[in-house]
Amino acid sequence: MKLFKKADIAIIGVVIALTATLIVLYLGGFRNVLAQNLTISVDGKIYGIYPLDEDMEIKIGDSNICTIKDGKVSMTYADCPDQSCIHSMSISRAGESIVCLPNKVVLKITGQSGDGEGVDAVAR
């Protein structure tokens, strides 16, 4: 007496293959397929737009330095007195930002995060 028929084994194989594919896509960066950029503005004017997929250090005038590393952005230097922008957590998702109020510098992730979280629409 057989426990599984050939069709049962084929269905189980397809389910396992689909599950493995979804896990690999998710863990392999499927969330980052959609383009994301860092938009830097100083005093309300766009200073520059940089891709998150390239590691770099960006000098913002004489007052700030931010770093993009492994798709995450952090403020690594600021000459402001409170240093709250340096102590804030790294950002990596669309809509997140780091603000240095004394120097009027805003780091904001733009684009779509693709992770299924966040606001889809705003109704007025």
Side-chain angles (χ1 to χ4, degrees):
M1 188 165 136
K2 288 187 173 181
L3 187 61
F4 293 109
K5 296 179 182 178
K6 287 183 182 181
D8 294 334
I9 293 172
I11 291 172
I12 291 170
V14 168
V15 169
I16 289 172
L18 284 173
T19 303
T21 302
L22 290 174
I23 289 171
V24 167
L25 286 175
Y26 182 77
L27 295 177
F30 179 71
R31 295 170 294 176
N32 296 324
V33 169
L34 300 173
Q36 290 188 353
N37 295 309
L38 167 65
T39 300
I40 301 174
S41 59
V42 179
D43 200 15
K45 297 180 179 107
I46 292 181
Y47 181 83
I49 299 173
Y50 306 90
L52 288 185
D53 59 356
E54 296 178 28
D55 291 354
M56 65 179 83
E57 186 175 270
I58 304 162
K59 187 173 181 184
I60 307 165
D62 294 330
S63 61
N64 296 73
I65 297 174
C66 74
T67 302
I68 300 174
K69 185 165 175 72
D70 300 327
K72 296 181 180 181
V73 179
S74 59
M75 189 75 78
T76 52
Y77 172 80
D79 64 3
C80 58
D82 63 0
Q83 302 284 298
S84 63
C85 56
I86 292 175
H87 299 298
S88 58
M89 296 184 65
S90 297
I91 57 175
S92 61
R93 292 183 178 165
E96 293 181 326
S97 61
I98 296 174
V99 179
C100 180
L101 284 176
N103 295 327
K104 299 179 183 176
V105 174
V106 177
L107 310 178
K108 184 172 183 177
I109 305 296
T110 55
Q112 297 183 1
S113 63
D115 60 5
E117 296 179 9
V119 178
D120 291 330
V122 176
R124 292 182 183 208

